[in-house]
Structures are given as structure tokens and as C-alpha cells.
Amino acid sequence: MNDTHHSKPIAVLWERVVAGDTSAAFLEAQGIEVRLGRPNLDPAYRTHRAQDFIEDLQGAHGVLISGGIRVSADVIHALPDLRVISKIGIGVDTVDIDAATAADIAVCNTPHGNDTVYVAEHAMTLLLALMKQLHVWTRPYMTGGGWRSPATFASSLDERTVGIVGFGRIGREFARRLSGWNVRILVHDPYADDVPAGVERVSLEELLASSDAISLHCPPLPDGSPLLDASALARLRKGALLVNTARAALVDRQALLAALDAGQIAGAAIDVFDPEPPASNDPLLTHPKILSTPHVASWTHEAFFGRRRQAAENLAHVLLGRTGASVVNANRLKMHDRKA
């Protein structure tokens, strides 16, 4: 192991630090040595290579990351000094939790704040934008001489059926925003113990067959396979709409494009991609029936800086042996609260 007698715990801020971000100053005030990762040292850095990550973290006890880097078992095995991985955001599917736990590394996330509200609002906005054809009636469309015509009509949520896949915090917030719109709300989530009045819990098959629009709010499947593959998309009600603010891996991209071309799906709104950012000629950006946003469902000033501060606090709590960190694998660790 490296730096075993270092006087201070060392934390690497892998993600790019921007003006107004107090995470580095906060950690230094706690007596933690802060090092900046490669994305901060090279303004053009975008590829998030595992080997670069490993090199930057040699001797480090903690790291702050977002979703740009995948912390695999191989990465974890190459970092024997690491004690905590602090993830910005709720999802930790980019980290091999089992490998981290086996190495006695705490994996933290930032579940607090209003991220669930922001994502639910964005999903609702995307759904309404699809129904109102805002991906068609754009500024370039109008400046190019386009105007309303019988070739394109908007639709309405009134008396429609909306299916929600995943009924955790975000799915519930999304359902709450649908209440009052005179819609039937269907939910599929095998782990949801209770659903509020006005929400029907159904199988995935029934949800696909019955919904005029579907919004995804669940984690990816453990094996990485798409939840909505060609077979599942074929079971959708013809002309349905799809909104994905969750994870790109949930939908088979080729099957989605084929379903859009065939008219099985009338439109899709996507906020998540793999890789990110996508290439400028990616069909998910250029297809006329797709409304795309650049992974901004929770991209608010409050959320951006709040998540980073929470992630820094998680790092400090674990590295300094304090309680209060949001540790997703806490009940499986031996000594996740020990000092570095």
C-alpha cells in the first residue's frame, strides 16, 4: 500500500471543479489533502479512461466522482489505499458495489435535496412537450417558414393512461404531478410495497399494453440487459410515447429506432445516453420523432452545488471517522467509518 503514514487523508476530486464549487475548500478546512483529477488538469479531457483514473488515485484514500467514470472491480483492485468512493447523485450503478464492499470501501451517494422533484418535473415537461409536438414546432421550423398544418396535430393528456416503471422517490413525485390531469396512472415496481389512491399497480406486460405514455424511473437491470428490448417495445400500445430520464441501458436503442420508424411508437423523449455526451450524428439526437435533452433532468443551480457539497461531506465523514455519511453499503462493511 502507498502513503500508509501520510499525515493527512487524501481525497481526489476527479470531477471538474467549477467556480462556486466549495467542495475543495470544505475538505481542506476539515484537514484533508485535496488533489485534482485529470479532468481538472486537462480542459479537453472527456474520455474518462480507467487507467487515467487509477493513476490519478494512487495513494488516495477517497475520491469524489459523478457518472463519467465506471469504477469496476479491476479499478478497485488497483487502488489498495482507497477507503471511500463518494458519488455525486443518487444512482451508484457505475460503481461495482460488491467489489467495493469486499475491499472494505464505503460507497456514498447524495439522496438528499430536491433532485427527485427536479427529475419528476423534467419528465413531466418532456411528456407534455412530446404531446404538444414541441420537438416538431421548433424555432428553426418557424424561421424556415413552417407553420401549423394538418400534417401534424398536438395531443392531450386528458383521459389518457400513463404508465410509470419504477415507483421510488422520483416515480412517486412524477405520479403526484400527474394527479389532477384526469389521467389513469399505472405503476410497475416489484419492490413498491404501497401505492397511493388513484394509482394502479400492474404487471409490466399490462402496463406496456395499456399505456398511452410510459415514463421510466427505475435502475438498470442487474445483468445490464435492456428492460425495453424489441419484444417489450412490440407489446406497447401502438402510437405510445416513451420518456426516459433514468438510464440509457433500460432501452435497446436499435429496437427503439426501429419502433419509431415503424410507427409502433409515436415519439420518445430522452435525457440519458451511453456514451455521454453522444456523437453529434447519433440517431437519438437526429431522429425526427425524438426529443433529446443533455442529461439535465436535475441540472439546477441548487442541485448541482448541493450535490457536490453533500458528496464532499460524505467524504469527510468517512475519512475522519464521523457518522452522518450516506453509505449505500454500510450494513455490509466491516469498518467503513475508520480513519484513513
Side-chain angles (χ1 to χ4, degrees):
M1 296 176 65
N2 302 318
D3 292 339
T4 54
H5 300 294
H6 200 279
S7 59
K8 292 182 178 181
I10 302 169
V12 172
L13 303 187
W14 171 260
E15 299 302 325
R16 187 167 284 125
V17 177
V18 299
D21 186 347
T22 62
S23 55
F26 168 79
L27 289 168
E28 289 171 341
Q30 306 299 305
I32 296 170
E33 180 180 326
V34 174
R35 298 177 182 173
L36 298 181
R38 204 157 307 201
N40 290 284
L41 305 177
D42 178 5
Y45 189 88
R46 291 171 59 129
T47 52
H48 293 269
R49 291 182 292 264
Q51 188 55 42
D52 295 341
F53 184 76
I54 291 170
E55 290 177 5
D56 282 2
L57 264 67
Q58 288 305 304
H61 306 107
V63 63
L64 186 149
I65 64 169
S66 66
I69 185 71
R70 295 186 180 277
V71 186
S72 65
D74 289 341
V75 170
I76 288 169
H77 294 156
L79 299 170
D81 295 303
L82 200 59
R83 293 289 171 264
V84 53
I85 299 168
S86 187
K87 171 77 165 48
I88 300 169
I90 297 174
V92 291
D93 50 284
T94 55
V95 179
D96 190 321
I97 302 296
D98 290 336
T101 303
D104 203 25
I105 296 172
V107 179
C108 303
N109 67 349
T110 57
H112 308 301
N114 288 328
D115 281 19
T116 54
V117 171
Y118 304 144
V119 177
E121 287 178 345
H122 195 75
M124 188 71 178
T125 301
L126 291 178
L127 175 57
L128 289 171
L130 278 178
M131 302 197 97
K132 299 304 177 183
Q133 299 286 358
L134 299 192
H135 57 303
V136 176
W137 295 325
T138 62
R139 182 181 298 169
Y141 174 83
M142 294 183 66
T143 57
W147 198 244
R148 68 185 189 190
S149 79
T152 304
F153 287 106
S155 57
S156 172
L157 267 179
D158 189 53
E159 297 186 340
R160 297 300 184 95
T161 298
V162 178
I164 304 173
V165 182
F167 207 57
R169 284 170 293 193
I170 297 173
R172 290 173 187 270
E173 288 290 347
F174 182 69
R176 191 171 293 121
R177 275 147 187 78
L178 285 171
S179 64
W181 285 77
N182 191 31
V183 299
R184 180 189 181 198
I185 304 174
L186 305 182
V187 165
H188 172 70
D189 188 332
Y191 304 105
D193 294 329
D194 63 307
V195 296
V199 175
E200 302 173 43
R201 184 175 179 178
V202 297
S203 67
L204 180 61
E205 289 71 22
E206 183 177 348
L207 184 145
L208 295 176
S210 304
S211 299
D212 297 295
I214 294 172
S215 190
L216 303 179
H217 299 288
C218 58
L221 298 179
D223 63 0
S225 62
L227 177 71
L228 299 185
D229 56 12
S231 175
L233 292 173
R235 297 198 298 274
L236 283 171
R237 174 179 288 184
K238 187 173 178 61
L241 301 174
L242 175 65
V243 176
N244 187 8
T245 57
R247 288 292 186 272
L250 288 169
V251 183
D252 183 318
R253 57 178 286 135
Q254 296 304 323
L256 172 62
L257 292 168
L260 288 166
D261 289 339
Q264 176 66 26
I265 299 176
I270 301 172
D271 187 54
V272 285
F273 301 86
D274 186 13
E276 291 189 341
S280 60
N281 63 347
D282 190 316
L284 296 182
L285 297 183
T286 61
H287 197 286
K289 293 183 179 179
I290 295 180
L291 171 61
S292 300
T293 54
H295 204 155
V296 292
S298 63
W299 197 260
T300 67
H301 184 278
E302 297 84 356
F304 181 86
F305 291 106
R307 283 192 301 266
R308 285 169 179 261
R309 178 55 181 255
Q310 291 170 30
E313 290 173 353
N314 284 335
L315 269 180
H317 288 327
V318 176
L319 291 178
L320 301 176
R322 303 190 304 224
T323 60
S326 174
V327 182
V328 300
N329 60 339
N331 61 347
R332 299 167 57 191
L333 292 174
K334 303 172 189 173
M335 300 170 62
H336 78 267
D337 60 344
R338 70 178 175 217
K339 295 184 180 180

